[in-house]
Amino acid sequence: GGGTGGGGEPPCDLSLVEDTGHPNATRFCEGLNACWANIPSEAYPEPDTWPEEPPNEDAVYIYKICYGPDGSETANSGWGWYTPDEPSLDQLAWEAYGALAVPDFTLAFSPPGRAVIFIDTWWWAEGPGDDAVTASSGSVTAIAEPNRLEVDPGDGSGSISCDWVTTRSDTCTHVYERANADGYPAQARLVYDVRFESGGAALELAGLPETLESGWQQASVPVHEVQTIVE
């Protein structure tokens, strides 16, 4: 309920229809008039008394009760077609953003199976590709473009930010300085840049998210010393 068309204060005083006696009632504004109705209605008149055609495919036939700003019941109460407010572009953008689903991945490293102190350990995200992730709601599409890989090696050195890497390479590296045969609790996540389009054109609205992060994926990384024998 609310009938504000997305964002901001409602134009009417909805407290006038706060206590309707119907717990599932929908409250909405028609101009400065505060209205309520059961949608769908609890009972209907005979179909032959209905208007011939609804104004649009989303309209529902309801009995509504409206009150003016002074609290008096208005003349526009009664049976009629009601069209729920269209969601705003901002609402559609957030719905599209919430529908974005990043691919599953595994935090991979090399040397495989165990790292070695003072030797570069390579990191990459195994599983995802380089394609954008998209989701739509109504006329708005959210587009998440791969940006980077963030890795926490688990040795207390803090997270490192690397270019997007999904295959074995030296693009993302870290050097362990202390051995840990039990394994360091390394973790990583994917980070995407997010933009929005409406009807194929760029959509820029204040407050929309600009990034999308996956959940952290963990990997235990045993780190060993290499013994050198000098003869």
Side-chain angles (χ1 to χ4, degrees), residues 87-149:
S88 67
L89 289 177
D90 187 77
Q91 290 173 312
L92 292 174
W94 277 103
E95 289 175 3
Y97 180 80
L100 288 170
V102 300
D104 293 333
F105 75 97
T106 300
L107 175 58
F109 61 93
S110 182
R114 65 176 185 175
V116 179
I117 61 171
F118 305 126
I119 300 294
D120 283 350
T121 299
W122 298 359
W123 304 98
W124 67 95
E126 194 169 84
D130 298 331
D131 296 331
V133 176
T134 64
S136 297
S137 179
S139 63
V140 176
T141 299
I143 304 165
E145 300 275 3
N147 177 279
R148 64 185 184 274
L149 174 69

Side-chain angles (χ1 to χ4, degrees), residues 59-83:
V60 290
Y61 198 54
I62 63 168
Y63 188 89
K64 65 182 178 183
I65 302 174
C66 299
Y67 297 87
D70 62 354
S72 60
E73 189 170 335
T74 66
N76 67 345
S77 297
W79 287 99
W81 293 109
Y82 167 71
T83 302

Side-chain angles (χ1 to χ4, degrees), residues 2 4-5 18 59 68 89 94 98 101 128 130 140 151-152 176 180 203 206 215 228 230:
T4 62
E18 184 90 31
L89 289 177
W94 277 103
D130 298 331
V140 176
V151 178
D152 180 352
Y176 287 102
N180 184 342
L203 176 65
T228 303
V230 178

Side-chain angles (χ1 to χ4, degrees), residues 31-59:
L32 297 179
N33 297 330
C35 306
W36 73 269
N38 289 318
I39 305 175
S41 292
E42 295 176 348
Y44 284 96
E46 292 299 321
D48 58 5
T49 65
W50 293 23
E52 290 186 4
E53 294 291 339
N56 56 62
E57 63 180 12
D58 296 322

Side-chain angles (χ1 to χ4, degrees), residues 114-199:
R114 65 176 185 175
V116 179
I117 61 171
F118 305 126
I119 300 294
D120 283 350
T121 299
W122 298 359
W123 304 98
W124 67 95
E126 194 169 84
D130 298 331
D131 296 331
V133 176
T134 64
S136 297
S137 179
S139 63
V140 176
T141 299
I143 304 165
E145 300 275 3
N147 177 279
R148 64 185 184 274
L149 174 69
E150 292 183 352
V151 178
D152 180 352
D155 59 354
S157 61
S159 296
I160 57 176
S161 181
C162 303
D163 291 339
W164 185 267
V165 54
T166 58
T167 58
R168 185 178 184 273
S169 75
D170 60 356
T171 300
C172 187
T173 65
H174 174 72
V175 175
Y176 287 102
E177 297 182 354
R178 295 187 305 275
N180 184 342
D182 294 330
Y184 285 109
Q187 59 180 356
R189 68 178 178 181
L190 308 175
V191 181
Y192 293 78
D193 289 331
V194 177
R195 58 186 173 87
F196 297 87
E197 292 182 355
S198 178

Side-chain angles (χ1 to χ4, degrees), residues 197-221:
E197 292 182 355
S198 178
L203 176 65
E204 296 182 5
L205 294 173
L208 291 181
E210 298 179 351
T211 60
L212 174 69
E213 296 88 20
S214 73
W216 290 95
Q217 297 296 318
Q218 276 125 24
S220 179
V221 184

